[in-house]
Amino acid sequence: MKPSSTLRIASYNIQKCLGLDLRRQPQRILQVIEHMQADVVVLQEADKRLPPRPAALPHFMLDEAGWQIVDLGGAGSLGWHGNAVIWRGDGISVRQTGHHELPGLEPRGAVRVEFDTQIGPLRVMGMHLGLLPASRRQQISHIRRCDDDLHEMPTVWAGDFNEWSRQPVLDHLAPEMRFLPPRPSFPAAQPLGALDRIALGAGVKATAHGVHNARPAHIASDHLPVWADLTRAA
């Protein structure tokens, strides 16, 4: 159970709700999300691949569970470019949203949501980076430039960074962000790679973080979700 003075953020690549058993079961994904007890959840692969890219995790299912869906401009989709953000809690409201096309060989995007929360204003950048190292370098550089153009606010990056290296590659690419220590989250059945990461900017710190591996997370998607409990930094 997280303290009431913290905000729990989670990141989860839900693989279009297709589990390792090749069954598409949105209810199973929702069960994993519910178990995490997060306030804000950043999702990747939240929409089906082909236009008009309908939501893989149905809106009505989230509505019935009390989740708010951030409107990121994707008509019929849960988010934008497969990235979505959901939240729940009386102390949270959305200030502003945006999204960014990312460079690289594959079509990729990032989303931005500015919240008022119980720990103060917070900017959340959700992303799913490319498979190629050169693309990831370009994409992180692009996101950093986007951040530079925005007004100052404590910022969190969360998503599937697709970085297999055990070296601090991401830390070197974005030195102003503090990546939480990597924890293996992929593949879900026997995690080897710390592909799913959370990074913090100035003004916010983590009191705890981890990988959620309680059943049915081991089979609901090919990734396990990661989470962090956040508070204001001095």
Side-chain angles (χ1 to χ4, degrees):
M1 180 71 72
K2 66 182 179 65
S4 59
S5 59
T6 67
L7 179 138
R8 177 167 293 178
I9 187 168
S11 178
Y12 192 13
N13 183 331
I14 64 174
Q15 200 192 204
K16 306 173 186 66
C17 297
L18 186 67
L20 294 182
D21 56 359
L22 301 183
R23 295 179 179 179
R24 195 180 302 277
Q25 294 191 359
Q27 186 60 48
R28 189 165 56 183
I29 290 290
L30 183 59
Q31 185 180 350
V32 175
I33 293 171
E34 292 284 301
H35 283 173
M36 285 192 290
Q37 298 184 325
D39 302 292
V40 175
V41 183
V42 179
L43 302 173
Q44 302 86 46
E45 297 194 35
D47 301 322
K48 297 179 182 178
R49 184 176 299 276
L50 297 177
R53 300 201 69 167
L57 183 57
H59 291 70
F60 79 86
M61 197 174 285
L62 290 165
D63 290 341
E64 289 176 355
W67 288 96
Q68 303 287 326
I69 303 166
V70 177
D71 183 359
L72 294 164
S77 302
L78 196 63
W80 184 80
H81 245 306
N83 299 286
V85 182
I86 61 175
W87 59 274
R88 185 165 66 180
D90 294 335
I92 303 174
S93 60
V94 175
R95 283 187 177 192
Q96 192 174 5
T97 68
H99 51 70
H100 309 281
E101 292 273 4
L102 297 182
L105 189 62
E106 316 152 73
R108 298 279 178 170
V111 297
R112 182 184 79 250
V113 186
E114 296 177 3
F115 289 102
D116 284 314
T117 77
Q118 60 265 39
I119 64 169
L122 187 69
R123 177 178 294 123
V124 175
M125 300 285 288
M127 59 198 74
H128 187 185
L129 301 189
L131 297 174
L132 300 177
S135 293
R136 292 195 293 275
R137 288 193 296 270
Q138 291 178 314
Q139 289 158 1
I140 288 181
S141 295
H142 185 88
I143 291 167
R144 291 179 69 199
R145 288 195 296 272
C146 292
D147 279 355
D148 287 343
D149 293 336
L150 301 171
H151 59 277
E152 190 172 328
M153 180 182 290
T155 297
V156 177
W157 289 3
D160 177 357
F161 286 79
N162 264 320
E163 180 56 63
W164 278 92
S165 175
R166 296 181 181 272
Q167 301 301 314
V169 174
L170 299 174
D171 307 64
H172 295 327
L173 291 174
E176 71 281 6
M177 302 297 292
R178 304 182 313 282
F179 281 85
L180 298 180
R183 304 279 177 81
S185 61
F186 179 88
Q190 191 173 359
L192 298 172
L195 306 191
D196 305 278
R197 302 289 301 273
I198 295 173
L200 309 179
V204 64
K205 64 180 181 180
T207 59
H209 77 285
V211 175
H212 179 82
N213 58 8
R215 292 173 179 265
H218 71 297
I219 197 172
S221 169
D222 60 344
H223 287 248
L224 296 173
V226 297
W227 59 270
D229 287 341
L230 307 180
T231 63
R232 292 289 295 273

